Structures are given as structure tokens and as C-alpha cells.
Amino acid sequence: MLRVLMFLALLGLAIFALVDCIRTSNDDVRHLPKPVWMMVIVFAWVIGPVAWLLLGRRRSFPAARAGGGGVRRGGG
């Protein structure tokens, strides 16, 4: 049962990474062309999805808030 669960988890990760690669614009893809990333995800389906998620696309982070971005609490 654990083997089936691990297989399904890896398959789900590969499907997620492939859909993410397809939906990512060409301007946000790093290091390799998009079709090559898709082949890496499909053919190296254990390491390929992880490589895509870590290295394959630019990540955009929200801009930091002025003043440290902390939560202000009311008080006296």
C-alpha cells in the first residue's frame, strides 16, 4: 500500500509540474527552453518535476511593506 501511495504522490507531482510548466509564460522560464523542460519533467519524472519547481521558472515575491510589514496591534 505504501508503494502505491508513493507512486501516486510522484505521479501527482509530475502532473502538477507539467501543468505548471505549460501555464508558465515563456518569459518566466529559466535555464532551458520550455519544450526541453517538459521533456525533462516527463522522462525524468522523479527528478524532473523537482528540478522544474526549484530551478525552472522565476518566482515573484510580493513587495515588502514599508515599516517592516509587521502586524500592528492596538493598545495603549
Side-chain angles (χ1 to χ4, degrees), residues 6 8 30 32 45 48-50 55 67 73 76:
M6 288 298 294
L8 291 176
R30 297 188 322 178
L32 296 172
W45 69 279
V50 174
L55 304 172
R73 299 178 188 228

Side-chain angles (χ1 to χ4, degrees), residues 52-64:
W52 165 255
L53 293 174
L54 295 177
L55 304 172
R57 74 174 197 176
R58 288 193 184 101
R59 303 283 183 219
S60 59
F61 297 102

Side-chain angles (χ1 to χ4, degrees), residues 1-67:
M1 182 67 180
L2 185 61
R3 289 181 186 182
V4 173
L5 186 62
M6 288 298 294
F7 175 78
L8 291 176
L10 290 173
L11 183 64
L13 179 65
I15 291 171
F16 174 79
L18 186 62
V19 170
D20 187 48
C21 181
I22 291 169
R23 293 186 63 174
T24 300
S25 71
N26 289 333
D27 296 334
D28 291 335
V29 176
R30 297 188 322 178
H31 302 296
L32 296 172
K34 199 173 188 180
V36 175
W37 271 117
M38 286 189 266
M39 287 190 298
V40 167
I41 292 169
V42 170
F43 293 121
W45 69 279
V46 174
I47 296 174
V50 174
W52 165 255
L53 293 174
L54 295 177
L55 304 172
R57 74 174 197 176
R58 288 193 184 101
R59 303 283 183 219
S60 59
F61 297 102
R65 294 182 184 183

